[in-house]
């Protein structure tokens, strides 16, 4: 059974930083493509960052240079380091694992950027 558990969200001021974590069980994050998505109120869920099994990284244009996706194979955890946060980054952030043709999702963690 695949489980993804996100943590690390919260309230932060503009310009601040947060690090999100996605702890996986039932799969090894080292061998599957993993991604972070977000969904703001009234908007569709969008891809924020993606890391392939070969460690190629891709980012949404809106977060390039500010966000970094990484993984710790020993902890079986994927991270999203978010710097220089903006109010428009406010959303629920979800972790995703693509296991062959099946996508698994975590429950999400709220990130609110506000002064």
């Amino acid at each position: 059974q695949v489980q993804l558990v996100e943590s690390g969200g919260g309230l932060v001021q503009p310009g601040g930083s947060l690090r999100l974590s996605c702890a996986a069980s039932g799969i090894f994050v080292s061998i599957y493509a993993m991604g972070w998505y977000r969904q703001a109120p009234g908007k569709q869920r969008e891809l924020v960052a993606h890391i392939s099994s070969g460690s190629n990284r891709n980012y949404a244009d809106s977060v390039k240079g500010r966000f970094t996706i990484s993984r710790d194979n020993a902890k079986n955890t994927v991270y999203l380091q978010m710097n220089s946060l903006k109010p428009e980054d406010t959303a629920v952030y979800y972790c995703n694992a693509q296991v062959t043709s099946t996508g698994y999702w975590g429950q999400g963690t709220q990130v609110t950027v506000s002064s």
Side-chain angles (χ1 to χ4, degrees):
Q1 182 181 0
V2 178
Q3 278 194 314
L4 303 174
V5 179
E6 301 100 333
S7 61
L11 174 63
V12 63
Q13 291 187 342
S17 298
L18 282 175
R19 188 177 78 158
L20 306 183
S21 300
C22 171
S25 59
I27 59 167
F28 293 112
V29 300
S30 59
I31 60 174
Y32 292 109
M34 303 291 297
W36 285 97
Y37 290 72
R38 67 186 180 189
Q39 187 166 19
K43 294 188 177 181
Q44 289 190 331
R45 191 172 296 189
E46 62 174 357
L47 177 66
V48 175
H50 177 269
I51 183 167
S52 72
S53 56
S55 295
N56 292 318
R57 293 167 172 83
N58 290 291
Y59 299 92
D61 288 343
S62 59
V63 307
K64 280 180 182 175
R66 300 189 297 123
F67 291 12
T68 302
I69 188 171
S70 63
R71 61 183 169 211
D72 184 329
N73 295 336
K75 295 183 178 179
N76 210 31
T77 298
V78 178
Y79 301 99
L80 184 68
Q81 178 67 44
M82 306 186 295
N83 298 327
S84 302
L85 282 161
K86 304 175 181 180
E88 52 262 44
D89 295 319
T90 296
V92 178
Y93 284 71
Y94 297 91
C95 180
N96 172 269
Q98 193 64 36
V99 180
T100 57
S101 60
T102 302
Y104 295 91
W105 296 91
Q107 82 289 351
T109 185
Q110 175 71 47
V111 171
T112 302
V113 184
S114 175
S115 55

